[in-house]
Amino acid sequence: TGRTSHAWLCKARSIQADPALLSETDRCLYEALRIARDISYGKDTPKQVFALWDLAMHLARTSRPDDRVRLDKAASLIQESVEMSRAFPEKRTLTATVLSGQGECFRLQGNVAAAIASYEEAWDIYGQGDLQNEPRGHRAAMDLAEIHFATSQHRLGHKLLNELELLCREHEAWESLTECLYLKGWGHLIREDYRSAYECLSEAVRIAEKLPETSEAAAFSHFYMAQLLVAQHKLAEAQDHFQAVLSQTQQYLPGSGAEFEIILFAHAWSLIHCNSSDDQGRLSVALKVAQRGKTLAEAWHRPWKEPHFFLAMALAQEKLGDDDRAVKLLEEGLARSTQPFPSLHAY
């Protein structure tokens, strides 16, 4: 029955944050899809669309870069989900959601051109009048902008974010606006346009004051502002921002899902750069947090994220006075950096 399919889906979601239960999560999602197909009696249904989407995204997000069988299966399932969603033209958000998922699948495969095409179609749907204040649409636009930045299409990335910024201001979508602004700031920062980066990031920090303290958008506004100030050798001015990152990310540290990797990196990096009376204790904690992030990246088969944690650990060891260990960590990180880079997340 539909309830049985939903029960399998709920079980999968309750355990999918644990990499040790990967096979069990696979089984639950395959079973949810099987039941959704059985109760549809050969007809296309939204329930099947979501069952296909859930399984495809899980397979894509938990695949090793060289696991072509798993990645190809994810691509096949998400394509079926997209095609089936088109049978329901009245459910535009359904098609837009699965197109965004298809963009992510292609991105994880390293197929940038196909990822851009899927994200662009999703954004075209979300850009229609009554869907302009849809957070999932805002996320699709930002994912597309990240790809443009990572492939040096900076003009396209900023053009898209400028459009999104206007929509967010019009609808008072403060969280999405904050994310949009810090992403714009990051786009300027990587090109060393510090003045433009400061304009975007200072406004992101200001707007973030309207958000709950638990908001990740607030944390990363402070994180990128701190990064900007460090790049300009203004470490003293960066201190308050690093402290804000530590305060806002502390609650997430027990997490084990793949999405927590960037939070762990931001927390470790902020610890390394903060001033305190107990430098050794602070740096020891930073090492533990960075090590945990590296372990998560390994468990979730994300070798392209590992260099960030090696860099953090190396910097902590250097500050602790162990230059030899710092050099070895940097060498290990450089070795990992030769891996494929299908994820374009801005850190």
Side-chain angles (χ1 to χ4, degrees):
T1 67
R3 289 184 178 180
T4 305
S5 175
H6 183 68
W8 281 106
L9 180 59
C10 288
K11 181 180 178 181
R13 288 175 176 170
S14 70
I15 63 176
Q16 65 182 3
D18 187 346
L21 298 176
L22 181 60
S23 296
E24 179 63 12
T25 304
D26 287 1
R27 187 179 74 85
C28 291
L29 290 172
Y30 271 110
E31 188 63 16
L33 175 58
R34 183 190 67 77
I35 295 171
R37 290 192 191 281
D38 286 349
I39 64 176
S40 299
Y41 302 104
K43 297 181 180 180
D44 294 341
T45 63
K47 187 176 290 293
Q48 284 187 86
V49 173
F50 280 116
L52 287 161
W53 184 88
D54 276 313
L55 178 55
M57 298 310 299
H58 168 71
L59 293 176
R61 290 167 175 168
T62 58
S63 296
R64 297 188 307 274
D66 59 349
D67 190 345
R68 301 311 309 176
V69 172
R70 194 174 177 88
L71 286 169
D72 288 346
K73 182 64 175 178
S76 174
L77 290 167
I78 199 68
Q79 179 62 34
E80 184 181 354
S81 181
V82 169
E83 292 172 357
M84 192 176 295
S85 74
R86 298 188 194 281
F88 308 97
E90 74 283 4
K91 297 181 180 294
R92 290 172 297 154
T93 55
L94 181 66
T95 300
T97 297
V98 294
L99 280 167
S100 294
Q102 186 178 51
E104 183 177 343
C105 285
F106 283 134
R107 184 179 69 177
L108 290 168
Q109 286 181 308
N111 190 341
V112 173
I116 289 174
S118 294
Y119 279 127
E120 285 181 337
E121 187 177 356
W123 176 236
D124 285 343
I125 296 172
Y126 281 124
Q128 298 172 17
D130 59 330
L131 299 180
Q132 291 180 352
N133 197 28
E134 173 59 58
R136 288 174 294 181
H138 302 164
R139 182 69 264 163
M142 287 184 274
D143 286 343
L144 178 55
E146 285 186 24
I147 293 179
H148 286 321
F149 287 151
T151 53
S152 298
Q153 299 295 319
H154 297 280
R155 183 183 62 81
L156 290 176
H158 282 293
K159 179 177 182 292
L160 180 59
L161 291 177
N162 288 339
E163 294 173 4
L164 177 61
E165 181 184 345
L166 290 175
L167 287 179
C168 291
R169 291 186 188 279
E170 179 183 349
H171 294 283
E172 298 184 348
W174 303 123
E175 184 126 10
S176 291
L177 178 58
T178 303
E179 291 185 61
C180 177
L181 286 168
Y182 79 61
L183 186 54
K184 283 180 65 177
W186 173 74
H188 291 305
L189 175 58
I190 59 177
R191 301 188 74 189
E192 299 183 359
D193 182 353
Y194 296 149
R195 180 176 178 178
S196 297
Y198 183 82
E199 291 176 358
C200 293
L201 291 170
S202 60
E203 186 173 9
V205 168
R206 180 180 60 79
I207 296 173
E209 294 177 0
K210 302 179 181 181
L211 304 179
E213 291 186 5
T214 56
S215 169
E216 290 184 32
F220 287 108
S221 296
H222 284 286
F223 179 69
Y224 288 115
M225 176 59 88
Q227 294 288 73
L228 168 63
L229 293 169
V230 169
Q232 296 176 286
H233 307 290
K234 299 177 180 179
L235 187 57
E237 294 180 38
Q239 290 301 304
D240 286 346
H241 297 288
F242 280 127
Q243 288 292 348
V245 174
L246 292 176
S247 175
Q248 292 162 344
T249 57
Q250 182 68 37
Q251 62 185 312
Y252 297 107
L253 296 187
S256 59
E259 70 275 12
F260 291 103
E261 295 160 1
I262 185 171
I263 293 173
L264 291 170
F265 174 75
H267 195 88
W269 197 252
S270 298
L271 279 170
I272 291 168
H273 287 86
C274 273
N275 294 328
S276 73
S277 56
D278 181 14
D279 283 347
Q280 184 164 358
R282 172 176 55 84
L283 293 169
S284 295
V285 173
L287 280 170
K288 290 178 181 177
V289 174
Q291 178 61 53
R292 184 155 169 269
K294 183 180 79 71
T295 300
L296 271 183
E298 292 171 341
W300 287 112
H301 311 306
R302 286 166 165 76
W304 61 89
K305 289 189 175 182
E306 293 176 33
H308 303 286
F309 295 107
F310 279 103
L311 175 60
M313 289 188 290
L315 184 55
Q317 291 287 10
E318 180 189 29
K319 287 178 175 290
L320 286 168
D322 193 341
D323 291 344
D324 290 341
R325 180 58 182 152
V327 169
K328 290 180 180 178
L329 286 165
L330 287 173
E331 290 173 344
E332 289 185 67
L334 285 171
R336 302 295 200 286
S337 69
T338 62
Q339 297 286 342
F341 193 75
S343 174
L344 304 175
H345 203 293
Y347 82 91

